[in-house]
Structures are given as structure tokens and as C-alpha cells.
Amino acid sequence: GGPAMRFFQSFLLALKNILTSKVRSVLTMLGIIIGVSGVMVIIGMGNGMENYMKDSFKSLGTDLLTVNILGTGTSKKVDVEDMYRLVTDNPAYLKDVSPSVRISGSVKIGSSTLDETTVGGVSEGYAAMKKYATDSGRFLQYADIRNRSNVCVVGSYITRMWFNGDAVGKNIKINGMTFTVVGTLKEESESEEGGTDDSVYIPYSTAARMSSTGMITSYSFQVVSEDNIALTKEIIGDALFAVYGTKDAYSIISMSEILDIMTTMLNVLVAVLAAIAAISLVVGGIGIMNIMLVSVSERTREIGIRKALGAKQRVIMQQFVIEAATLSALGGLVGIGFGYLLSALATFILQSALDPNLAVVPSLSSILTAFGISAAIGVLFGYLPAKKAARLNPIDALRYE
């Protein structure tokens, strides 16, 4: 038959030899099985974490820049108009801006005090920037900002927990001032106390009036494209530097940059862990080499007969390499199955213990890589014993008992 046929016969013979000593073959494959499943689960965990981080950051808005103005204690200051002008002057880089004023103090509904609720003074464009959708009523409008109205929009947690799903028109007291609810927002994340949905939004002008200094010190800018964030930061930075003359007077934080840094750190960690798991693949390879060497000495007579019958060195060598490769490839396959089971188990544990959004996601590339490495290791470590077998002198081999 042709080379393909011969290869297939070698493969069948290899399977037969592997099956004759089952226990030995399984023990040999253990290193490969553990290595492959280990690499799979670790890379899967890395992927899962990365997805989780990206999702978490998406809700914070990766297209937003947070600008905090610390000021210099002098009378020079940037006001809201300057910030809005910055957006109108740079339409290629900036889409929108919203002042954001955090109000600390008490939020009361009836006689109950809400401890965890965050109150933010924002602009009418804030919901669109954060991609929040209104559920009922309306979001803040420019008129509310201009008139410093005592109106507010509440998150879904507050609507559900405190107003039985119907909040529009009801009242909330913030630091003793009464605010009327004009709108409610759709649920953003799992609605929980202190979460994204446990929040109240009021016009920034009203919030500034309520704060001790009456100044707005924080802004959220929406960028046109996340690709040129560095340039966008520079534009805002230059404008602020022109006013304050020192870089210490302000800070510009971009979520996408923080996400990039965290992703890079995570990738390094995963690579190190995967490399540690891959060590057992090498150990598995050494195990395969040992077994093949034993196999060569056990089958010395058989090799002698085949050589005496005219089998070429290359064919005998091929036989042993195929056997080693088959052993490790089988180990790889079992390892992949085992890795999937482990991933499912790990996902279940993570989701019930930590967060329902966490998952272990083995990527196809990690599976193929692990399998490829395991097969390659078989060939690599199968080479020496095969060479030894092919070089046997047929006369000595036949005499060998």
C-alpha cells in the first residue's frame, strides 16, 4: 500500500500496543492529561476574568474621561461654561460633558433614611452619556438645570424598594430639601443596595447650590473615539493648564486606560500560571520517553524479526514515533474532556460563591495549543527511543531473550 496506508497500519499497531498495557499507558498519559486540563482551565479563568472586567468597565463607560479639579487655592478657576465650550470647540474629539457633583448627606423617603444611596448632580445629557434608559417619566432637562429645580430621577432599586414600582410624582428629601421624582431609570446591573441602581440624580446647578463651596469640581467627558484617548486627554489637559499653570490642579482619568492596564496585568499573570501548568506537560513527555525506552527493550526480538524480514530503519522508527505521538495525543484528548468538566465545575463554584457574571471560558485557541503541544511532546520524546529501536542490529536482536 501507499504511505498513507502504511501510516494507518502503524497507527493501528500503535493503538494495539497501547491497549495491551492499559494501566501503564494511562499512568504514562497522566502527566499530559493534567497538563492539558490545567492549561485549559487557567487560560479559561483568565478569559473569564477579562470578559468580566470588560463588562464591569462597560457599565462605568470606557468612552468617558473623569476630570477632577483640585484647584490651586487662587481665585483662578474653570467654570461649567468653559467646559461646555471645550466640547463645542473640539467636536472631533469630544462628544459631550456633564458636571458631576457628589452630594453627601442624608436621603430620606418618608421617615426612612437610605444610607447607601448615592446622590449625584448631573446635566441633562448624563443619561445618554452613561447609556441609561428611562423607565417612566423623563430624565433631567435643560430647564431643570437653568431653574435649579428641586427635581430628581431615581434608579430602579429605589423605584422598586421604596415606591412599589411607581415613583414619578412622589417626594424624596435630600439634606432636608424636598425633591420631586420626575423620572425613573431602567435597571442597569443587579439592583442591589449601594449598587448602580441605588442612586438619585438631581440637576448639577441645584447640587452646586447645596454643596458647601458652591463649586463644581468634577466633570465626565464623553469622547468621540476610544482610539485617540491620549490626544483627547491632552486637549482637556492643555485647556486646564492654561488656566491653572500647574498639572497638580487637576487630574484626568480614563476608564479605558485603567482597563488596558488591568488587562495587561491579568494577561501576564495568566501566562505565568499557564507556564506552570505546562511544566506537567513536559513531565508527561519524559514519562512517555521512559515507557517507550522500556517498550523498545521489551520488543527487541520483534524489532529483530522485522529487520531480518527487510523492514527499513525509517519504518521502524516511524512505528515508535507514531506510538509515542498517539499516546500523548490520546492524553491530550482526555485532558481536554477533563478540562471542560473542570471549567464547568469552576464556573458553577465561582457563580454561586462570588458573582453570577463570572465564568471560566476555555478558548478554542488554548485547547488547540494545549493539544498541539501534547502531540508535539509525544513526537519529541518518542524520537530517542525510536532511534534506538531503528539502530538495533538484527542479529543481536534475534539472539536477545
Side-chain angles (χ1 to χ4, degrees):
M5 192 64 211
R6 211 168 44 238
F7 177 84
F8 185 64
Q9 277 172 328
S10 301
F11 177 68
L12 286 180
L13 188 60
L15 272 182
K16 191 177 132 257
N17 287 326
I18 288 168
L19 289 173
T20 37
S21 43
K22 287 188 195 66
V23 177
R24 192 168 80 184
S25 300
V26 169
L27 289 175
T28 311
M29 290 189 306
L30 257 180
I32 300 274
I33 292 173
I34 293 169
V36 169
S37 53
V39 169
M40 249 181 83
V41 171
I42 286 169
I43 292 179
M45 281 185 157
N47 289 340
M49 278 301 299
E50 198 171 321
N51 295 344
Y52 177 70
M53 271 176 12
K54 283 191 172 135
D55 287 348
S56 311
F57 271 88
K58 269 260 169 336
S59 66
L60 293 171
T62 38
D63 61 345
L64 297 184
L65 287 174
T66 306
V67 176
N68 289 311
I69 294 173
L70 316 162
T72 48
T74 59
S75 57
K76 287 183 294 193
K77 65 180 209 290
V78 176
D79 61 21
V80 180
E81 273 65 45
D82 299 331
M83 290 305 207
Y84 273 104
R85 198 169 308 117
L86 206 53
V87 176
T88 34
D89 290 350
N90 299 287
Y93 296 101
L94 295 169
K95 224 188 254 176
D96 201 355
V97 64
S98 169
S100 69
V101 183
R102 282 296 285 275
I103 294 278
S104 51
S106 74
V107 177
K108 284 192 157 179
I109 294 174
S111 56
S112 318
T113 304
L114 284 63
D115 295 323
E116 300 285 327
T117 305
T118 47
V119 180
V122 296
S123 76
E124 71 280 10
Y126 189 75
M129 281 169 63
K130 291 287 248 182
K131 300 174 185 62
Y132 292 162
T134 41
D135 198 23
S136 61
R138 60 175 178 84
F139 196 69
L140 303 172
Q141 288 167 352
Y142 179 62
D144 303 325
I145 315 279
R146 200 182 50 228
N147 305 333
R148 299 201 174 111
S149 314
N150 286 7
V151 292
C152 66
V153 174
V154 296
S156 63
Y157 173 81
I158 295 180
T159 314
R160 205 187 64 227
M161 286 300 295
W162 298 95
F163 294 113
N164 294 328
D166 176 25
V168 177
K170 309 275 172 43
N171 289 343
I172 290 183
K173 275 203 156 129
I174 304 170
N175 289 349
M177 282 171 69
T178 305
F179 283 78
T180 308
V181 178
V182 291
T184 64
L185 296 175
K186 279 201 171 70
E187 189 175 31
E188 280 303 312
S189 54
E190 281 98 71
S191 253
E192 56 197 357
E193 195 178 5
T196 321
D197 294 318
D198 186 2
S199 47
V200 178
Y201 298 103
I202 64 175
Y204 69 83
S205 50
T206 314
R209 196 178 59 191
M210 289 166 70
S211 72
S212 51
T213 55
M215 275 175 61
I216 292 165
T217 53
S218 174
Y219 294 87
S220 288
F221 280 92
Q222 186 177 25
V223 302
V224 172
S225 141
E226 288 175 46
D227 304 331
N228 48 22
I229 277 224
L231 253 170
T232 312
K233 275 178 76 166
E234 223 168 276
I235 289 173
I236 300 173
D238 290 348
L240 292 172
F241 191 79
V243 176
Y244 291 107
T246 163
K247 288 213 156 110
D248 300 334
Y250 54 87
S251 71
I252 305 172
I253 305 157
S254 97
M255 283 303 164
S256 63
E257 282 179 320
I258 296 175
L259 179 64
D260 285 346
I261 294 167
M262 284 175 73
T263 310
T264 312
M265 277 160 47
L266 182 72
N267 287 341
V268 170
L269 183 69
V270 170
V272 170
L273 289 173
I276 293 169
I279 291 173
S280 57
L281 281 171
V282 179
V283 174
I286 294 168
I288 285 177
M289 183 165 76
N290 289 339
I291 293 295
M292 295 314 290
L293 283 168
V294 170
S295 179
V296 169
S297 54
E298 272 181 0
R299 285 150 67 187
T300 305
R301 200 185 168 89
E302 176 205 324
I303 295 164
I305 293 170
R306 288 180 67 177
K307 278 199 138 179
L309 290 172
K312 290 192 185 68
Q313 274 205 6
R314 201 195 54 205
V315 176
I316 287 172
M317 184 143 174
Q318 188 187 27
Q319 176 61 46
F320 277 87
V321 169
I322 286 175
E323 216 160 291
T326 307
L327 248 183
S328 59
L330 274 176
L333 285 173
V334 176
I336 288 172
F338 195 55
Y340 266 118
L341 279 175
L342 274 178
S343 299
L345 184 68
T347 300
F348 175 72
I349 293 169
L350 285 174
Q351 290 185 342
S352 47
L354 293 172
D355 189 308
N357 296 329
L358 274 173
V360 178
V361 194
S363 65
L364 189 64
S365 61
S366 71
I367 295 167
L368 293 175
T369 310
F371 181 71
I373 291 174
S374 66
I377 277 175
V379 174
L380 196 73
F381 286 100
Y383 181 76
L384 271 172
K387 208 164 150 181
K388 184 184 169 188
R391 285 219 175 123
L392 281 176
N393 182 334
I395 308 215
D396 296 342
L398 285 171
R399 268 214 215 101
Y400 180 87
E401 280 305 326

